[in-house]
């Protein structure tokens, strides 16, 4: 159990480092750094399930409120997609329930096959 906690923490650090160095979309108000900050508390739920932490729901709501344009949605989608791909054991079906569970439905679902550039 301790080893999985250490591995989980290591993946969170790697995720933060990669996403914070990902180039930002110049015209978007939402950045990958913001997405990482808002959604990092959701990672344990995305991997292990259980109860959604209140900090995760606060991040989901914050991201929902920040996505004012199609470009914001495309940026957030791409950042989520890139970050989730780096987390071993992430359950895409589970993470796609977070918006509804937190009372801030997401206008799109993120899977490895999602074409974020087509979001409107």
């Amino acid at each position: 159990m301790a080893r999985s906690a250490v591995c989980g923490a290591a993946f969170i650090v790697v995720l933060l480092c990669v996403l914070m160095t990902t180039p930002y979309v110049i015209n978007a108000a939402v950045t990958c750094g913001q997405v990482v900050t808002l959604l990092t508390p959701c990672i344990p739920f995305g991997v292990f399930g259980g109860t959604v932490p209140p900090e995760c729901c606060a991040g989901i709501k914050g991201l929902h409120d920040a996505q004012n344009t199609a470009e914001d949605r495309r940026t957030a989608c791409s950042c989520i997609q890139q970050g989730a791909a780096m987390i071993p054991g992430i359950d895409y079906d589970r993470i796609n329930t977070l918006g509804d569970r937190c009372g801030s439905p997401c206008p799109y679902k993120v899977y490895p096959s999602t074409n974020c550039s087509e979001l409107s």
Side-chain angles (χ1 to χ4, degrees), residues 6 8 28 64 71 87 106:
V6 170
H64 182 269
E71 192 62 34
I87 303 171
C106 185

Side-chain angles (χ1 to χ4, degrees), residues 2-21:
R3 183 172 185 212
S4 72
V6 170
C7 288
F11 285 116
I12 289 170
V13 169
V14 169
L15 172 67
L16 289 172
C17 290
V18 169
L19 288 181
M20 292 183 83
T21 60

